[in-house]
Amino acid sequence: METAVVWFRDDLRVEDNLTLADAVSAAETVVPLYVFDPRRRRESQYGPDKMGSHRGQFRRESVDDLRESLQDRGGELVVREGLVEDVVPSVVEGVDADAVFAQTKPATEEVEREHAVRDALPGTVDFQRRFTHTLHHLNDLPTPYDRIDDTFTPWRKEVEQGASVRDPVPAPERVSTPQVDPGVIPSLDDLGFDTPPHDDRSVLPFEGGETAGQDRLQHYLWEADRLREYKSTRNGMLGPDYSSKFSPWLAAGCLSPRWIHREVKRYEDERVSNEDTYWLLFELRWRDFFQFQFLKHGGNFFTPTGIRNVEREWKHDRAAFRQWAAGETGVPFIDANMRELNETGYMSNRGRQNVASFLVDALGIDWRWGAAYFEERLIDYDVASNWGNWAYQAGVGNDSRDGFFNVLSQAERYDGDAEYVHTWLPELQALPTEYAHRPWRMDADEESSYDVVLGVDYSEPMIDVEARFVELQETRY
């Protein structure tokens, strides 16, 4: 084979990238290609945009880092803007390519784009797909994906006992790219994004790219040596090292889960092997589970009744949704988490569970609106993880239980000293812990003494939240 085009998608790395490695092995010259498709940024059918400025910046940085990595190997990354089904065939024609190598992903829009590109190619061009986004390869599952269990625990046990993890594929030593106009990586303004806000309270600066992702792993595992306590600290709310924070680089494909798996195993050999080290691999399998569930159920994950066909009367109250999204519910733990998300593009796992439960359980608002808002705002948005987890919390996904999070008791458990609330709601900093999570319990004299008047300095609660959780407790159990 003389020339192959490598269409990069959510696999913005050179280490353990089978798509790139196979193309380099098969062809004399390789044209790496990334396309900024405007449909990834447009308004979704639920209202929020499909990508916000935080992830837009992270994506742009990741593409820039990929270009540098390819240049270090003698190659070049060709960058274009436009619809992928127009751009990829155009580049193929321009370089007279014999084949296109591309990552495949298990979600409806991603599959549609893949098919559109394949169908637009000349019949003489070979289209080769590689499955590179998961820890376990699709072909290594003990049970075919269309027959896997819809509950995580039995699936996890089966995989842990009966599926291996493939070794990472080394990065090519050299990538030979023919003469072609590389194009310019568009600026944030060119892509239609404002510069995202910078906030010193952010848990991490989250720089995009494989280099930054590997640096983060090096810090968390080897320099800070925090993996040995991962399970016990992962529900933290503030600071860089209470959890791994690998998710943004995993979502963009800057880090391979198999590469992380290898490093964890090396850590277990050289430092310690315990429940905490196991738990990080446990979380990678949770991520895998949703990827394979999307292969199995496809578009059913986007329906209001979900994959379980659960009928529920969802509200479509835009005013209430806007209060939730803006962090103006009057419930401090919810508002603090939403403000962190809006300002930084990130929120802890504990926070995500609570704000999701508040929207769907306490307010009864269509869970898909929340999932779409996270899609826009999260720097680590991954279609399967995001929509799978939202469906799970809404009771229409993979969990057969009908549970909810009491955000007040959760706040007092995971933010016992109210440090998190005080950090993200500075207007409540004067409040002692007993009122920081339940400011509505103050009387007028206390509001005056703390100089925090509800409805003036901070929002009054949009619902009687304490009564609502009593009602949920009585009706659900």
Side-chain angles (χ1 to χ4, degrees):
M1 184 185 301
E2 186 173 337
T3 302
V5 169
V6 178
W7 171 30
F8 283 89
R9 304 180 76 191
D10 292 328
D11 55 344
L12 304 178
R13 63 180 184 268
V14 296
E15 289 286 351
D16 192 36
N17 191 329
L18 187 65
T19 313
L20 174 64
D22 281 357
V24 169
S25 177
E28 294 179 19
T29 60
V30 169
V31 181
L33 171 66
Y34 184 81
V35 183
F36 285 93
D37 191 318
R39 290 171 297 192
R40 296 193 72 161
R41 312 188 293 274
R42 70 184 180 190
E43 182 178 320
S44 73
Q45 68 186 89
Y46 308 104
D49 290 340
K50 296 181 77 64
M51 183 184 292
S53 60
H54 284 290
R55 194 161 85 259
Q57 177 171 276
F58 190 91
R59 173 68 52 153
R60 187 186 178 281
E61 291 169 348
S62 299
V63 171
D64 186 56
D65 184 72
L66 176 63
R67 172 172 272 181
E68 290 186 10
S69 294
L70 290 166
Q71 289 173 343
D72 289 344
R73 289 162 173 79
E76 180 59 86
L77 179 67
V78 175
V79 176
R80 298 287 187 267
E81 291 186 71
L83 306 183
V84 290
E85 61 266 34
D86 295 335
V87 174
V88 177
S90 175
V91 171
V92 166
E93 181 180 357
V95 299
D96 194 24
D98 305 292
V100 173
F101 287 73
Q103 177 196 55
T104 187
K105 290 195 67 181
T108 52
E109 288 184 359
E110 285 75 5
V111 170
E112 288 171 2
R113 307 270 160 79
E114 175 189 310
H115 290 173
V117 168
R118 183 194 61 195
D119 293 344
L121 293 171
T124 56
V125 175
D126 187 21
F127 187 83
Q128 298 204 23
R129 308 185 307 167
R130 296 293 183 270
F131 198 85
T132 64
H133 201 57
T134 55
L135 177 65
H136 294 284
H137 193 279
L138 175 66
N139 295 338
D140 297 338
L141 297 180
T143 300
Y145 75 86
D146 57 346
R147 292 192 279 115
I148 62 174
D149 201 296
D150 287 345
T151 303
F152 173 67
T153 298
W155 177 85
R156 172 186 59 80
K157 290 180 178 178
E158 180 185 53
V159 168
E160 287 179 342
Q161 295 169 4
S164 60
V165 176
R166 298 184 180 186
D167 292 332
V169 177
E173 293 183 4
R174 181 164 181 79
V175 178
S176 298
T177 302
Q179 287 294 321
V180 60
D181 177 16
V184 175
I185 298 175
S187 67
L188 279 177
D189 186 60
D190 292 336
L191 295 171
F193 295 118
D194 295 328
T195 301
H198 171 76
D199 198 303
D200 290 337
R201 295 169 293 182
S202 177
V203 293
L204 274 181
F206 289 119
E207 179 185 354
E210 182 177 19
T211 302
Q214 291 184 352
D215 287 346
R216 172 60 190 170
L217 185 143
Q218 174 71 20
H219 167 81
Y220 184 75
L221 265 66
W222 302 107
E223 296 169 2
D225 198 22
R226 296 299 296 270
L227 182 57
R228 65 177 63 243
E229 56 185 9
Y230 171 74
K231 187 182 179 184
S232 60
T233 64
R234 66 192 176 91
N235 282 311
M237 308 289 291
L238 291 167
D241 292 336
Y242 65 79
S243 65
S244 72
K245 310 292 192 304
F246 296 157
S247 56
W249 293 283
L250 280 166
C254 302
L255 287 181
S256 154
R258 296 190 304 185
W259 192 83
I260 294 174
H261 177 271
R262 185 193 67 186
E263 289 298 296
V264 171
K265 288 301 181 182
R266 183 163 73 91
Y267 181 93
E268 289 180 333
D269 289 340
E270 298 180 13
R271 298 264 174 106
V272 65
S273 176
N274 59 17
E275 186 179 30
D276 300 273
T277 60
Y278 162 78
W279 209 259
L280 183 58
L281 302 182
F282 175 97
E283 297 290 358
L284 287 178
R285 289 191 172 97
W286 251 119
R287 178 178 177 273
D288 266 22
F289 178 66
F290 283 128
Q291 304 293 325
F292 296 125
Q293 282 290 310
F294 263 71
L295 271 178
K296 179 179 179 180
H297 294 288
N300 287 335
F301 265 104
F302 301 101
T303 63
T305 57
I307 64 172
R308 292 171 53 212
N309 199 29
V310 176
E311 294 289 346
R312 184 170 169 184
E313 291 294 326
W314 296 109
K315 297 177 183 177
H316 296 91
D317 183 337
R318 280 292 174 190
F321 177 76
R322 283 193 291 269
Q323 282 184 264
W324 172 85
E328 297 174 352
T329 68
V331 182
F333 194 58
I334 300 303
D335 293 346
N337 275 287
M338 294 306 295
R339 293 190 196 181
E340 180 185 16
L341 172 65
N342 293 333
E343 289 299 311
T344 72
Y346 188 81
M347 186 194 299
S348 70
N349 180 62
R350 181 58 49 180
R352 297 181 201 205
Q353 293 172 315
N354 276 271
V355 301
S357 183
F358 187 80
L359 185 74
V360 302
D361 296 313
L363 301 181
I365 290 176
D366 192 332
W367 66 275
R368 297 173 301 168
W369 287 14
Y373 191 74
F374 270 29
E375 178 173 352
E376 177 188 60
R377 295 285 172 163
L378 282 174
I379 202 169
D380 62 357
Y381 170 76
D382 177 277
V383 57
S385 295
N386 182 68
W387 288 85
N389 274 302
W390 269 94
Y392 184 106
Q393 185 57 50
V396 302
N398 293 99
D399 190 5
S400 58
R401 296 169 297 171
D402 191 17
F404 69 94
F405 284 81
N406 183 323
V407 303
L408 301 177
S409 60
Q410 287 273 304
E412 288 157 353
R413 177 178 178 182
Y414 293 103
D415 187 31
D417 58 2
E419 183 184 6
Y420 180 75
V421 161
H422 287 151
T423 297
W424 285 102
L425 304 178
E427 63 268 40
L428 301 184
Q429 282 183 347
L431 297 187
T433 302
E434 63 179 308
Y435 292 137
H437 290 304
R438 304 176 191 241
W440 50 84
R441 288 188 171 182
M442 291 188 295
D443 59 28
D445 288 341
E446 288 169 321
E447 288 188 3
S448 178
S449 67
Y450 294 124
D451 199 22
V452 177
V453 178
L454 296 190
V456 177
D457 302 298
Y458 179 66
S459 303
E460 293 184 352
M462 60 190 297
I463 59 171
D464 185 339
V465 66
E466 297 195 49
R468 178 58 177 152
F469 284 114
V470 170
E471 177 188 3
L472 287 170
Q473 185 73 26
E474 292 175 347
T475 57
R476 297 287 179 91
Y477 299 102

